[in-house]
Structure formats: structure tokens, C-alpha cells
């Protein structure tokens, strides 16, 4: 099991702001998703633990990522 998300941004600056916030979240939580990104997108993948289930920490990380995106979209509106 895994959670995957592709996030599109209008320009590089918005992508960079998100990546900076995501990096801070990773440091704070100790959760480090697989990431790939380009100028205007970020792909994130959180994998299940060895038991095949997503951890509570992974779910919390995903929720907080959504909050970051919501906060950033509010800043640019």
C-alpha cells in the first residue's frame, strides 16, 4: 500500500516555496516521502511499513501536506 500525489504549480517560485515547507515538515515529523520534482510539479509517495499498512505518522504527514497546500493557495489568492 502507498499514498501517491502529484501536485502542479503555476511556476517555479510556487514549487520552491512548497518544497521548502515540505522539507521543514519532514524535519519536524521524521517522515521522508519519496520525492521527484520539476519546474512546476512535485510527486510524493509514502510507502506502507513492513506489515503492509500505512502508519499513523504517514497519514498525519499527508494531512499536514494538504494543510500546507491550502495555506499556500490562500497566500497566492
Amino acid at each position: 500500500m502507498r499514498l501517491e500525489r502529484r501536485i502542479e504549480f503555476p511556476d517555479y517560485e510556487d514549487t520552491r516555496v512548497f518544497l521548502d515547507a515540505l522539507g521543514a515538515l519532514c524535519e519536524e515529523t521524521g517522515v521522508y516521502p519519496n520525492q521527484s520534482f520539476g519546474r512546476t510539479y512535485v510527486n510524493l509517495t509514502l510507502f506502507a511499513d513492513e506489515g503492509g499498512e500505512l502508519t499513523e505518522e504517514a497519514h498525519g504527514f499527508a494531512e499536514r501536506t494538504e494543510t500546507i497546500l491550502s495555506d499556500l493557495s490562500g497566500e497566492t489568492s
Side-chain angles (χ1 to χ4, degrees), residues 13-47:
E13 179 61 29
D14 288 343
T15 305
R16 182 79 252 152
V17 169
F18 173 74
L19 287 171
D20 288 344
L22 187 70
L25 179 59
C26 291
E27 290 292 322
E28 178 186 333
T29 63
V31 176
Y32 295 89
N34 284 10
Q35 301 176 42
S36 63
F37 58 91
R39 194 173 85 71
T40 60
Y41 70 89
V42 175
N43 294 318
L44 299 173
T45 305
L46 289 164
F47 289 96

